[in-house]
Amino acid sequence: MWTAMFSSVEAGLIYAVMALGVYLSFRILDFPDLTVDGSFVTGASVAAVLIVNGANPFAASAAALLAGFAAGVLTGLLHTKGKINPLLSGILMMIALYSVNLRIMGKSNVPLLQQETVITKITAAWRQAGLDAALNRLVSFTGFAPRTWAVLVSMAIVALMVKGLLDWLLKTEVGIALRATGDNKPMVASFSANTDWLIVFGLGLSNALVALSGALVAQYGGFSDVGMGIGMIVIGLASVIIGEALFGARSVARATWAVIGGAIVYRLILALALRVEFLETGDVKLITALIVMLALVVPNTLAAQKERQRKKRRVRQLERGETVAGAETNYKSV
């Protein structure tokens, strides 16, 4: 049980990078970008092929980030210059990337189990420093000792670095313009700002983060597969929606914290759900869809219930006020 929870937190931190990219397109730009399902695999395939061919895994991950940025830029250009509907732009790029990813890998699956990856390098350095033994002693009272803390700590650092850079960007002049474009594009255009460039840049950055997450997931799982991106946009949205529902999103900094927390909570819920006897590994997509449905329906239902209660209280207050006013009128008439 504890091992499954620990692994879920590790995976949640890696997927949090992807969720931050989805947050940027979905919440900041208000752009339903389905490119995510393709760019996630693009990042994984670029990194995997470069690593298999002897490239440094850190350089391969950086190349994956650039490939994702290019995919996002193309989606943005389809929308801004090609005047194609945002949803359709993402769908077209997602479909195109399926063939591109197959071309990059040369086959449907590239194994990395025998290769040196970012994960193996970090784990080796961590063990050499003897940090696992020190951390295991600190948590010895729980009776749980993971194989290594290297992935959890390193991926937490990566997620926090991405969060910090995103928070900083969204507070700059360009970032404020991005947020304004998502809120009210005509108003931003009326100030002579180039909204097309802002959308292209925002989508490029969003898919760069998604591709980086894909590269890390491939190295964490030990393979890159052409079908590993199916439903990734739903996972990203689930992380964003769950995070906002649980932790709130009153500011950019709090919203990005919420996205990271939502990604971890999502993976924990998924791990717990798969422990139910009648559910199988093949039900992951169904469970994901149900989680998103609940995350969307429950907050709206609770908000509607609170609004009904507020209206009832208001009606009762008005009735009491009218009763008091009527009593005072009768008293004066007497």
Side-chain angles (χ1 to χ4, degrees):
M1 177 67 175
W2 284 111
T3 303
M5 296 296 101
F6 188 84
S7 299
S8 296
V9 175
E10 285 181 340
L13 288 168
I14 300 174
Y15 281 101
V17 177
M18 179 270 295
L20 287 169
V22 173
Y23 167 76
L24 184 58
S25 60
F26 184 68
R27 285 289 190 234
I28 299 299
L29 285 175
D30 193 24
F31 193 104
D33 185 19
L34 296 186
T35 311
V36 170
D37 283 17
S39 60
F40 185 85
V41 185
T42 300
S45 59
V46 168
V49 169
L50 288 175
I51 288 170
V52 167
N53 284 283
N56 181 285
F58 292 97
S61 300
L65 188 146
L66 293 175
F69 184 84
V73 165
L74 288 173
T75 301
L77 290 173
L78 282 175
H79 170 60
T80 57
K81 304 304 178 185
K83 305 302 178 185
I84 299 175
N85 176 275
L87 191 62
L88 187 56
S89 299
I91 292 171
L92 290 172
M93 186 51 59
M94 176 185 68
I95 293 170
L97 285 175
Y98 183 88
S99 296
V100 171
N101 295 332
L102 275 175
R103 283 277 188 174
I104 292 170
M105 291 191 289
K107 50 187 176 180
S108 61
N109 187 287
V110 176
L112 293 172
L113 293 174
Q114 304 301 320
Q115 304 296 325
E116 195 172 54
T117 64
V118 167
I119 303 299
T120 58
K121 276 182 171 291
I122 291 173
T123 303
W126 186 272
R127 284 177 177 165
Q128 206 168 25
L131 296 173
D132 280 328
L135 286 172
N136 285 334
R137 280 196 296 271
L138 287 175
V139 297
S140 58
F141 64 93
T142 64
F144 172 67
R147 186 178 57 184
T148 179
W149 292 84
V151 179
L152 181 72
V153 175
S154 59
M155 291 304 107
I157 292 170
V158 170
L160 291 176
M161 285 176 61
V162 172
K163 173 202 159 31
L165 289 171
L166 195 57
D167 289 349
W168 168 79
L169 173 67
L170 293 175
K171 290 177 182 177
T172 63
E173 187 175 339
V174 173
I176 292 170
L178 276 172
R179 293 158 63 186
T181 300
D183 288 337
N184 195 331
K185 183 180 174 182
M187 183 198 73
V188 177
S190 69
F191 289 107
S192 300
N194 191 335
T195 55
D196 287 355
W197 179 87
L198 289 168
I199 291 171
V200 170
F201 172 73
L203 291 177
L205 184 58
S206 168
N207 284 279
L209 295 178
V210 171
L212 175 61
S213 178
L216 294 173
V217 167
Q219 294 172 74
Y220 176 73
F223 69 93
S224 171
D225 188 87
V226 73
M228 66 190 295
I230 297 173
M232 206 51 59
I233 182 64
V234 179
I235 294 173
L237 290 175
S239 302
V240 173
I241 293 164
I242 291 171
E244 290 178 346
L246 292 178
F247 309 110
R250 294 181 181 178
S251 64
V252 170
R254 186 168 177 176
T256 50
W257 274 120
V259 171
I260 294 173
I264 295 171
V265 170
Y266 165 76
R267 300 303 303 187
L268 289 171
I269 293 172
L270 193 61
L272 290 171
L274 289 174
R275 295 182 72 85
V276 177
E277 290 184 6
F278 64 87
L279 291 175
E280 301 175 358
T281 307
D283 297 325
V284 168
K285 302 302 180 186
L286 174 61
I287 297 168
T288 299
L290 290 173
I291 291 171
V292 175
M293 289 176 196
L294 288 172
L296 287 169
V297 171
V298 172
N300 291 335
T301 304
L302 293 175
Q305 188 176 2
K306 286 180 181 179
E307 181 63 20
R308 284 195 298 270
Q309 291 174 349
R310 188 190 68 79
K311 287 181 178 179
K312 286 180 181 178
R313 284 196 301 269
R314 180 61 178 161
V315 168
R316 285 196 295 267
Q317 289 172 357
L318 290 172
E319 287 175 350
R320 284 198 298 269
E322 288 173 1
T323 302
V324 172
E328 289 178 350
T329 303
N330 292 334
Y331 174 77
K332 289 178 181 179
S333 63
V334 172

